[in-house]
Amino acid sequence: MKRFQFRFAILVGLVLSLLVACNPGREIADNVIDNNSGNVAKTLVMFTSADYPPYEFIETVDGRSEVKGFDIDLAEHITEKLGYGLQIDTINFDRLIPVLQSGQADFVMAGMVPTETRRQNVDFTQLYHVPNHAVLSQRGSGLSTLENLRGKIVGVRQGSIQAQRVREIPNIKIKSLQQMSDLVQALKAGRINAALVAESAAAGYLAVNPDLEIHQIPSIPGNSGAAIAFTKGSRLVQAFDQVISEMKTTGELDQLALKWFDAVSESPPEALKP
Amino acid sequence: MVLDFVNCFNSFFLAQILGQAIGQTGLVLDFGKIVPNIPFILQGIGITLAFTLVSALIGFAWGTILSIFKISNIRPLKWFADFYTSIFRGTPLILQLAIIYFSTPQLIGYAIPPFQAGVITFSLNSAAYSSETIRGGILAVDKGQREAAMTLGVAYPLMMWDIILPQAFKNILPALVNESIALLKDSSLVSTVGALDLMRRGQIVASEKFIYFEPLIFVGLIYYLMVMSLTWVAQGFERRMRRSD
């Protein structure tokens, strides 16, 4: 009996490997194929990086979990208007473009900036949100403008709008980190002198960390904001674009921004530039 | 230095017990903040355990087959097993996971779920490591056992299955437990492809609550307890096996 146990484990392992190998899962991208042939697909798969409140985060009270945030509300609104279902999956921010390319996602919303490099790999809608930039630093550091940041070590969220903006500042050491919370810890530990962030995303951290201070900096006209990303050549781009334009004229987009960015910060909600 | 450490240790536990800030400076921990999120984090135990168990079993079975390839006289099988091991030991686990997760949909048009991608990667990787352990175990079985079996006319498969392998496994149990513990902790890598395991749940709560250390320390404690129970179970298992000596 005792000798039998190991051999039993081997057999169980072999059976399990068969099960894993044969397990039917979700077939890839019916939707993508449907989009290209022009038919209406049932459910669109959206990927996001749910670690960036209030844009997207997971609410986890009482053992239940739900993805929430500005981007999520907007995605629900658009897909509903276009008659699609919506399924939301989460993954790290730097994996969002790969899941689009591999066809696992139909679209990606994560406050993503349409940079030149990204445009070569995926398609974007127009901007749906242009955030205020702000300098986050330790209280009393006196770093309140972009000018002050010269010669300092400045942290940004990898691939964010601010990561693009920070390159305009001469003589600066840039440190890009994965998550907003990583930036806050780097700041508290003194590894960076300041962080260039979206004001609305920093508000929640400011409330929890009284040893930090924030200064809004003037935004540059035409400066980039967030857009929705699609697989290259997806026909959904146009439809999504149209709904965003409608929401801008009816003021629904402003209302949505008001709901999310007012709920977290006490600062006045940021105005959207059409 | 030692005093500093003790101080830090004390204040850490004080903060934990009181659930409040220790002062103006230093590491401020408030575990009270994550109390409502604890059920969500705990649900990750099942997912982490499922990853570990399934991967350990498949890896063990596949590793046994590979080890038999390695000691066989058939050259191509030996080459294959050696090449396989060199690939999986020679590249980082996180890279293997990323390749399997992202390339499968493009190669065969199947949107592989994170759980499957994780189990496949961990099994294949663990098999490479344990095949070497098992090979060592087989070679350590006294030569006389094999010779006696051959003299008695026992066929090769039966000799392996009934005589050599059971003795080999008994000797390598501690090494296999090591492998399972490594798997349990390495399973946290699936958080990078979006599976909601313990680690990822800790990170999610961290960003939801705008905090950092509390969920991570809590998750660390759960990992520690899981590894401790695994060690404990393995020790009992080993004692039972030694009884037949």
Coordinates of all heavy atoms in Angstrom, one line a residue, chain A residues 201-246:
Chain A
A201 N -5.8 60.4 -10.3 CA -5.4 59.1 -9.8 C -4.6 59.2 -8.5 O -4.5 58.2 -7.8 CB -4.5 58.4 -10.9
A202 N -4.1 60.4 -8.3 CA -3.2 60.5 -7.1 C -4.1 60.9 -5.8 O -3.6 60.7 -4.7 CB -2.2 61.6 -7.3
A203 N -5.3 61.4 -6.1 CA -6.1 62.0 -5.0 C -6.3 60.9 -3.9 O -6.1 61.3 -2.7 CB -7.4 62.4 -5.5
G204 N -6.6 59.7 -4.2 CA -6.8 58.7 -3.2 C -5.6 58.4 -2.3 O -5.7 58.2 -1.1
Y205 N -4.4 58.4 -3.0 CA -3.2 58.2 -2.2 C -2.9 59.3 -1.3 O -2.3 59.1 -0.2 CB -2.0 57.9 -3.2 CG -2.2 56.6 -3.9 CD1 -2.7 56.5 -5.1 CD2 -1.7 55.5 -3.3 CE1 -2.9 55.3 -5.8 CE2 -1.9 54.2 -3.9 CZ -2.4 54.2 -5.1 OH -2.6 53.0 -5.8
L206 N -3.3 60.5 -1.7 CA -3.0 61.7 -0.9 C -3.8 61.6 0.4 O -3.3 62.0 1.5 CB -3.4 62.9 -1.7 CG -2.5 64.1 -1.6 CD1 -1.1 63.7 -2.0 CD2 -3.0 65.3 -2.4
A207 N -5.0 61.1 0.3 CA -5.8 61.0 1.5 C -5.2 60.1 2.5 O -5.3 60.2 3.8 CB -7.2 60.6 1.1
V208 N -4.6 59.0 2.1 CA -4.0 58.0 2.9 C -2.6 58.3 3.4 O -2.2 57.9 4.5 CB -4.0 56.6 2.2 CG1 -3.6 55.5 3.2 CG2 -5.4 56.3 1.7
N209 N -1.9 59.1 2.6 CA -0.5 59.4 3.0 C -0.4 60.9 3.2 O -0.1 61.7 2.3 CB 0.4 59.0 1.8 CG 0.4 57.6 1.6 OD1 0.9 56.8 2.4 ND2 -0.2 57.2 0.5
P210 N -0.6 61.4 4.5 CA -0.5 62.8 4.8 C 0.9 63.4 4.6 O 1.0 64.6 4.6 CB -1.0 62.9 6.2 CG -0.8 61.5 6.8 CD -0.9 60.6 5.6
D211 N 1.9 62.5 4.4 CA 3.2 63.1 4.3 C 3.5 63.4 2.8 O 4.7 63.7 2.5 CB 4.3 62.0 4.8 CG 4.0 60.6 4.2 OD1 2.9 60.4 3.8 OD2 5.0 59.9 4.2
L212 N 2.5 63.4 1.9 CA 2.8 63.7 0.5 C 2.0 65.0 0.2 O 1.0 65.4 0.9 CB 2.3 62.6 -0.4 CG 3.0 61.2 -0.2 CD1 2.4 60.3 -1.2 CD2 4.5 61.3 -0.3
E213 N 2.5 65.7 -0.8 CA 1.8 66.9 -1.3 C 1.7 66.8 -2.8 O 2.5 66.2 -3.5 CB 2.4 68.2 -0.8 CG 3.8 68.4 -1.4 CD 4.4 69.7 -0.9 OE1 4.0 70.2 0.2 OE2 5.3 70.2 -1.6
I214 N 0.7 67.6 -3.4 CA 0.5 67.5 -4.8 C 0.3 68.9 -5.4 O -0.2 69.8 -4.7 CB -0.7 66.6 -5.1 CG1 -0.7 66.2 -6.6 CG2 -2.0 67.3 -4.8 CD1 -1.7 65.1 -6.9
H215 N 0.8 69.1 -6.6 CA 0.7 70.4 -7.2 C 0.3 70.2 -8.7 O 1.0 69.5 -9.4 CB 2.0 71.2 -7.2 CG 2.4 71.6 -5.8 ND1 1.9 72.6 -5.1 CD2 3.3 71.0 -4.9 CE1 2.4 72.7 -3.9 NE2 3.3 71.7 -3.8
Q216 N -0.8 70.8 -9.0 CA -1.3 70.7 -10.4 C -0.4 71.5 -11.3 O 0.0 72.6 -10.9 CB -2.7 71.1 -10.5 CG -3.4 70.7 -11.8 CD -4.7 71.4 -12.0 OE1 -5.4 71.6 -11.1 NE2 -5.0 71.7 -13.3
I217 N -0.1 71.0 -12.5 CA 0.7 71.8 -13.4 C -0.1 72.1 -14.6 O -1.0 71.3 -15.0 CB 2.1 71.1 -13.8 CG1 1.8 69.7 -14.3 CG2 3.0 71.1 -12.6 CD1 3.0 69.1 -14.8
P218 N 0.1 73.3 -15.2 CA -0.7 73.6 -16.4 C -0.6 72.6 -17.5 O 0.6 72.2 -17.8 CB -0.2 75.0 -16.8 CG 1.1 75.1 -16.2 CD 1.1 74.3 -14.9
S219 N -1.6 72.2 -18.1 CA -1.5 71.2 -19.2 C -1.3 72.0 -20.5 O -1.6 73.1 -20.7 CB -2.8 70.4 -19.3 OG -3.9 71.2 -19.4
I220 N -0.7 71.3 -21.4 CA -0.3 71.9 -22.7 C -1.5 71.6 -23.7 O -1.9 70.4 -23.8 CB 1.0 71.3 -23.3 CG1 2.1 71.6 -22.3 CG2 1.3 71.8 -24.7 CD1 3.4 70.9 -22.6
P221 N -1.9 72.6 -24.5 CA -3.0 72.3 -25.4 C -2.6 71.2 -26.4 O -1.4 71.2 -26.8 CB -3.2 73.6 -26.2 CG -2.5 74.7 -25.3 CD -1.5 74.0 -24.5
G222 N -3.5 70.3 -26.7 CA -3.1 69.3 -27.7 C -2.3 68.2 -27.1 O -2.0 67.2 -27.7
N223 N -2.1 68.3 -25.8 CA -1.3 67.3 -25.1 C -2.2 66.0 -25.0 O -3.4 66.1 -24.9 CB -1.0 67.7 -23.7 CG -0.1 66.8 -23.0 OD1 0.7 66.1 -23.6 ND2 -0.1 66.8 -21.7
S224 N -1.5 64.9 -25.0 CA -2.3 63.6 -25.2 C -3.1 63.2 -24.0 O -2.8 63.6 -22.9 CB -1.3 62.5 -25.6 OG -2.0 61.5 -26.3
G225 N -4.1 62.4 -24.3 CA -5.0 61.9 -23.2 C -5.2 60.4 -23.4 O -4.4 59.8 -24.1
A226 N -6.3 59.9 -22.9 CA -6.6 58.5 -23.0 C -7.5 58.2 -24.1 O -8.4 58.9 -24.4 CB -7.2 58.0 -21.7
A227 N -7.2 57.0 -24.8 CA -8.1 56.6 -25.9 C -8.3 55.1 -25.8 O -7.6 54.4 -25.0 CB -7.5 56.9 -27.2
I228 N -9.3 54.5 -26.5 CA -9.5 53.1 -26.5 C -8.7 52.4 -27.6 O -8.7 52.9 -28.7 CB -11.0 52.8 -26.7 CG1 -11.9 53.7 -25.8 CG2 -11.4 51.4 -26.5 CD1 -13.4 53.6 -26.0
A229 N -8.1 51.3 -27.3 CA -7.2 50.6 -28.2 C -7.9 49.4 -28.8 O -8.7 48.7 -28.1 CB -5.9 50.2 -27.6
F230 N -7.7 49.1 -30.1 CA -8.3 48.0 -30.8 C -7.2 47.2 -31.5 O -6.2 47.7 -31.8 CB -9.3 48.4 -31.8 CG -10.6 49.0 -31.2 CD1 -10.6 50.4 -30.8 CD2 -11.7 48.2 -30.9 CE1 -11.7 50.9 -30.2 CE2 -12.8 48.8 -30.3 CZ -12.8 50.1 -30.0
T231 N -7.5 45.9 -31.8 CA -6.7 45.2 -32.7 C -6.6 45.9 -34.0 O -7.5 46.5 -34.5 CB -7.3 43.8 -33.0 OG1 -8.0 43.3 -31.8 CG2 -6.3 42.8 -33.5
K232 N -5.4 45.9 -34.6 CA -5.1 46.6 -35.9 C -6.2 46.2 -36.9 O -6.4 45.0 -37.1 CB -3.7 46.3 -36.4 CG -3.2 47.3 -37.3 CD -2.1 48.2 -36.7 CE -1.7 49.3 -37.7 NZ -1.9 50.6 -37.1
G233 N -6.8 47.2 -37.5 CA -7.7 46.9 -38.6 C -9.1 46.5 -38.1 O -10.0 46.2 -38.9
S234 N -9.4 46.6 -36.8 CA -10.7 46.3 -36.3 C -11.8 47.3 -36.8 O -11.5 48.5 -36.8 CB -10.7 46.3 -34.8 OG -12.0 46.2 -34.3
R235 N -12.9 46.8 -37.2 CA -14.0 47.7 -37.7 C -14.7 48.3 -36.6 O -15.6 49.2 -36.8 CB -15.0 46.9 -38.5 CG -14.3 46.3 -39.8 CD -15.3 46.1 -40.8 NE -14.6 45.7 -42.0 CZ -15.2 45.2 -43.1 NH1 -16.5 45.1 -43.1 NH2 -14.5 44.9 -44.2
L236 N -14.4 47.9 -35.3 CA -15.1 48.5 -34.2 C -14.7 50.0 -33.9 O -15.5 50.7 -33.4 CB -14.9 47.7 -32.9 CG -15.5 46.3 -32.9 CD1 -14.9 45.5 -31.8 CD2 -17.0 46.4 -32.7
V237 N -13.5 50.3 -34.4 CA -13.0 51.7 -34.1 C -14.0 52.8 -34.4 O -14.3 53.6 -33.6 CB -11.7 51.9 -34.8 CG1 -11.1 53.2 -34.3 CG2 -10.7 50.8 -34.4
Q238 N -14.5 52.7 -35.7 CA -15.4 53.7 -36.1 C -16.6 53.8 -35.3 O -17.1 54.9 -34.9 CB -15.8 53.4 -37.6 CG -15.1 54.4 -38.6 CD -15.7 54.2 -40.0 OE1 -16.2 53.1 -40.3 NE2 -15.6 55.2 -40.8
A239 N -17.2 52.7 -35.0 CA -18.5 52.7 -34.2 C -18.3 53.3 -32.9 O -19.0 54.1 -32.4 CB -19.0 51.3 -34.1
F240 N -17.2 52.9 -32.2 CA -16.8 53.4 -30.9 C -16.6 54.9 -31.0 O -17.0 55.7 -30.1 CB -15.6 52.7 -30.3 CG -15.9 51.5 -29.6 CD1 -16.6 50.4 -30.2 CD2 -15.5 51.3 -28.2 CE1 -16.9 49.2 -29.5 CE2 -15.8 50.2 -27.5 CZ -16.5 49.1 -28.1
D241 N -15.9 55.3 -32.0 CA -15.5 56.7 -32.2 C -16.8 57.6 -32.2 O -16.9 58.6 -31.6 CB -14.8 56.9 -33.5 CG -13.5 57.7 -33.3 OD1 -13.2 58.1 -32.1 OD2 -12.8 58.0 -34.2
Q242 N -17.8 57.1 -33.0 CA -19.0 57.8 -33.2 C -19.8 58.0 -31.8 O -20.2 59.1 -31.5 CB -19.9 57.0 -34.2 CG -20.8 57.9 -35.0 CD -21.5 57.1 -36.1 OE1 -21.1 55.9 -36.3 NE2 -22.4 57.7 -36.8
V243 N -19.8 56.9 -31.0 CA -20.5 57.0 -29.8 C -19.8 58.0 -28.9 O -20.4 58.8 -28.2 CB -20.6 55.6 -29.1 CG1 -21.3 55.8 -27.7 CG2 -21.3 54.6 -30.0
I244 N -18.5 58.0 -28.9 CA -17.7 59.0 -28.0 C -18.1 60.4 -28.5 O -18.3 61.3 -27.6 CB -16.2 58.7 -28.1 CG1 -15.9 57.3 -27.5 CG2 -15.4 59.8 -27.4 CD1 -14.4 56.9 -27.7
S245 N -18.1 60.6 -29.8 CA -18.4 62.0 -30.3 C -19.8 62.4 -29.8 O -20.0 63.5 -29.3 CB -18.4 62.0 -31.8 OG -17.1 61.7 -32.3
E246 N -20.8 61.5 -29.9 CA -22.1 61.8 -29.4 C -22.1 62.1 -27.9 O -22.7 63.1 -27.5 CB -23.0 60.5 -29.6 CG -23.6 60.4 -31.0 CD -24.2 59.0 -31.2 OE1 -24.7 58.5 -30.2 OE2 -24.2 58.5 -32.4

